[in-house]
Amino acid sequence: MCVGAGYSYLGESFQVYFSNPKATLPVRTRSGGCSLLPWGRRKIQRGALPFGCCARLDSIYAGRWDKWFPVPVKICVQRFMEQDMEGRTRWFELPKGKWIQGLVAHERHEQRLYVVVVEPQLSDALYERWPRIFCS
């Protein structure tokens, strides 16, 4: 799962971690700009949306997110941090022209962003999940 991200917003650089309850991530708007949205939900936070920072792609396809009216978005980050199966973290640069897929979930006036993740295809993969990365 994605545990940290680095991005630029309004000329400033940010490095955020999901463990911070105030963490936000930028998403591409229809007009081509970026808007900050709260990243996931922690157990200490009020609300009705799911706990966690990620949405598994197979659960999206299975319809488990349908009740929160999911909207696919592009997350505008330059790098992300992953934690491997042994608990070690590592930063990965996202090449220019590539995006991390996100999902915006809604419940009444609550709106949160989740990183869409997939399971690595390799049997000897170091990570249980990986952000879904795609080209523009």
Side-chain angles (χ1 to χ4, degrees), residues 56-118:
R56 293 174 52 137
L57 184 62
D58 58 350
S59 71
I60 296 167
Y61 286 152
R64 293 188 193 114
W65 287 84
D66 289 353
K67 63 183 170 183
W68 295 296
F69 309 100
V71 175
V73 293
K74 294 177 179 179
I75 301 175
C76 312
V77 298
Q78 286 81 42
R79 63 194 168 285
F80 62 94
M81 182 198 294
E82 280 296 329
Q83 183 174 10
D84 67 20
M85 289 187 232
E86 295 179 357
R88 294 181 301 241
T89 57
R90 180 177 167 203
W91 284 97
F92 295 90
E93 297 295 319
L94 201 59
K96 188 172 181 153
K98 299 234 177 187
W99 304 85
I100 293 178
Q101 184 178 359
L103 174 151
V104 177
H106 303 86
E107 175 65 31
R108 297 185 185 209
H109 301 293
E110 184 182 7
Q111 175 176 274
R112 294 183 182 276
L113 171 67
Y114 296 84
V115 175
V116 175
V117 294
V118 295

Side-chain angles (χ1 to χ4, degrees), residues 12-27:
E12 286 189 57
S13 293
F14 295 90
Q15 192 163 289
V16 297
Y17 302 91
F18 178 71
S19 58
N20 180 347
K22 294 183 180 182
T24 59
L25 291 176
V27 297

